[in-house]
Amino acid sequence: MKKHIAVLAGDGIGPEITDAAIAVMNKIGEKYGHEFEFEHLLMGVCAIEKTGEPLPQYTIDRCLASDSVLLGAVGGAVGDKRIESLPGHLRPEAGLLKIRSALGLYSNLRPAKLFPALAGACPLRKDIAEKGIDLVVVRELIGGIYFGERGRGVGEGGEFAYDTEKYSVEEVTRIAKIAFELARKRRHHVTSIDKANVLESSRLWREVVHNVAKDYPDVELTDMLVDNTAMQLVKNPAQFDVVLTSNIFGDILSDEAAMITGSIGMLASSSLGATKRGLYEPIHGSAPDIAGKDLANPIATILSAAMMLRDSFDMIKEAEDVENAVNEVLNAGYRTADIMSEGKTQVKGSEMTKLILERI
Ligand code: IPM
Ligand code: MG
C-alpha cells in the first residue's frame, strides 16, 4: 500500500520525536512492502518565524490532500518574544486548534494506561495502582468553549472578557456514538462527564448522551460531575473504561489521566472526523527545555504512529508489531530519563528508537 503522510514536526522536541516515528514507519514499510511518503510542513513557532502565522493555508491544503497527519508538538518562544505576549490568534496553539477544525477532527482519543513494566513510575499509592489503570478519554475536539464566541468589552465594572460554552445536539450525538462504539470493543462502560448541576450546556449534554445510550443497551452509562471525576481519577482510576468529555473538560482530565500513569512520555493520541484521515500526536508538549539534547522519549510519538497504522490505514498486524517492539524494549529494562527507575538501563532518545527498530 502507498500512503502520503503530512508531517507537522513543530517546535522544541517535535522534530526529534517525529523523526523517530518516521524511522519506525519506514521500517514497517520495508517489512510489509508498504510505501510511506512523508511531506514536512510548517505549524507552530517555526511557522510563525518563517511566515508570520502559526498555520499557513498551504499547510492546511497539503494536510487535506494527505492520507493522514503526524504531529510532533507546538509551542515555545518566538524569537526573543515570549508567546504570552502574542495576540491570541497568532499564538502557536491557535495553529493547532485551526488544523483540528479545518480537518473536521471532532473525536480525540487519549488512552491512559499503566504499562506493567512502568508500575514503579506511577505516583499513586501502591494499593490503588495495583488495581490497574486502563482508560480512554474520548474528548470532543472542535466545539465548546474553545470555539465559542469570545471577546472583550467595557462595562460598569471596567473591562471584561468572555468565552462561550455552546454545544448542539448534533455535536454531542456524534461524539457520544464514538464513545459507545469504543466501549463495545473494551469493557462496555462509558462515564460521561459534565457539570450539569450548574451549566445548561451540560444539562443538554447529559440528555443527549442518555438518548444515544438507548441504542447501546449492552453498554453501562454513568454520569459524573467533572469535579468529582478529578477526585475519582486519583482515588479509584480502575473504575474508568471510556471517559466521554467536552473539549475543555477533556483537556483538563486527560492531563490528569496521563499523569497518574506516571508516563506522560509514553501516551499517544488520535484525532479523527468523518473520514479515515486523522491526526496523530503524542499527548505531551514541545518541552523546549530538553530540545536538541537527545533526551526526549520518542515512545509516545512512535505509539501515535502505531495508532495511525491501525485506525487510518487498517494495518492491524503492522500496528501490533510496533506496540510489541515497544513492550519488548521496556521489558528488557531500557528507559529514557523521564521513565527511569532504579535498576534499569538509561538510554538516550535516539538509542531508544534504535532498540525499537531492532525488534521490528
Ligand atoms: C492539548 C493541548 C491543547 C489543547 C493546547 C496546546 C491548545 O493542551 O492538546 O491538550 O488545549 O487542546
Ligand atoms: Mg491539554
Side-chain angles (χ1 to χ4, degrees):
M1 229 186 272
K2 188 172 170 173
K3 296 288 177 193
H4 186 87
I5 297 156
V7 181
L8 310 174
D11 313 310
I13 58 171
E16 347 170 1
I17 55 180
T18 44
D19 280 352
I22 289 170
V24 165
M25 290 190 79
N26 281 332
K27 184 87 184 187
I28 288 287
E30 262 169 49
K31 180 167 170 186
Y32 288 90
H34 303 307
E35 197 183 322
F36 298 120
E37 205 176 69
F38 298 94
E39 179 178 359
H40 287 265
L41 298 158
L42 292 174
M43 182 173 90
V45 175
C46 56
I48 297 174
E49 283 170 351
K50 291 210 176 84
T51 72
E53 46 182 343
L55 180 67
Q57 185 60 41
Y58 181 75
T59 297
I60 300 178
D61 294 343
R62 294 307 301 154
C63 285
L64 283 167
S66 73
D67 292 308
S68 217
V69 183
L70 178 70
L71 171 68
V74 293
V78 178
D80 54 7
K81 269 198 225 110
R82 290 192 52 78
I83 46 176
E84 287 76 15
S85 65
L86 294 171
H89 70 286
L90 286 180
R91 290 179 60 123
E93 292 88 348
L96 184 56
L97 300 186
K98 200 165 153 196
I99 192 81
R100 288 172 177 168
S101 170
L103 299 179
L105 308 173
Y106 64 83
S107 163
N108 180 215
L109 267 44
R110 300 187 164 190
K113 206 173 131 176
L114 186 65
F115 289 78
L118 299 184
C122 174
L124 298 183
R125 224 168 55 207
K126 200 158 174 267
D127 60 305
I128 297 175
E130 265 164 7
K131 291 194 215 141
I133 303 172
D134 182 6
L135 61 90
V136 182
V137 177
V138 176
R139 171 187 178 193
E140 198 293 325
L141 201 59
I142 54 174
I145 200 164
Y146 273 60
F147 292 89
E149 199 191 315
R150 68 176 103 253
R152 285 186 182 227
V154 180
E156 278 172 20
E159 191 182 5
F160 65 84
Y162 64 97
D163 300 88
T164 320
E165 173 85 346
K166 179 174 160 193
Y167 269 111
S168 69
V169 171
E170 191 192 338
E171 286 172 314
V172 182
T173 303
R174 65 184 183 185
I175 192 68
K177 282 184 181 162
I178 300 277
F180 281 96
E181 289 294 332
L182 180 64
R184 276 196 167 152
K185 295 187 204 146
R186 294 174 47 94
R187 303 194 305 276
H188 291 76
H189 185 200
V190 170
T191 308
S192 174
I193 313 307
D194 61 45
K195 188 69 187 172
N197 52 349
V198 178
L199 304 178
E200 199 54 43
S201 52
S202 277
R203 288 191 271 274
L204 179 81
W205 178 279
R206 199 178 273 213
E207 270 165 45
V208 175
V209 172
H210 279 263
N211 270 335
V212 172
K214 289 181 190 144
D215 293 332
Y216 299 86
D218 53 319
V219 177
E220 189 193 339
L221 170 63
T222 306
D223 298 302
M224 198 177 276
L225 296 174
V226 62
D227 48 349
N228 184 30
T229 311
M231 179 178 80
Q232 295 296 335
L233 273 170
V234 178
K235 197 175 161 202
N236 178 19
Q239 71 185 289
F240 296 106
D241 177 17
V242 174
V243 180
L244 168 61
T245 75
S246 64
N247 205 342
I248 182 107
F249 293 163
D251 178 45
I252 299 164
L253 295 176
S254 64
D255 264 29
E256 188 184 357
M259 191 58 218
I260 58 170
T261 70
S263 45
I264 193 151
M266 302 282 302
L267 300 177
S269 78
S270 73
S271 303
L272 282 153
T275 70
K276 282 263 176 194
R277 186 195 320 106
L279 182 147
Y280 298 82
E281 58 175 314
I283 76 154
H284 59 70
S286 60
D289 50 323
I290 58 164
K293 296 185 182 153
D294 201 9
L295 285 173
N297 184 350
I299 293 182
T301 317
I302 289 172
L303 291 175
S304 300
M307 280 182 104
M308 180 191 292
L309 292 171
R310 181 183 287 109
D311 297 341
S312 279
F313 305 155
D314 292 315
M315 297 180 180
I316 315 289
K317 183 81 193 55
E318 291 85 334
E320 281 171 4
D321 259 21
V322 176
E323 290 159 354
N324 290 339
V326 169
N327 279 327
E328 279 173 33
V329 172
L330 292 174
N331 289 335
Y334 296 105
R335 303 282 187 273
T336 43
D338 57 315
I339 51 172
M340 183 59 190
S341 59
E342 219 185 298
K344 306 296 175 193
T345 314
Q346 189 166 332
V347 295
K348 298 261 180 205
S350 58
E351 289 166 321
M352 180 57 91
T353 305
K354 201 165 148 264
L355 290 162
I356 293 168
L357 288 171
E358 280 166 15
R359 283 164 177 80
I360 293 176

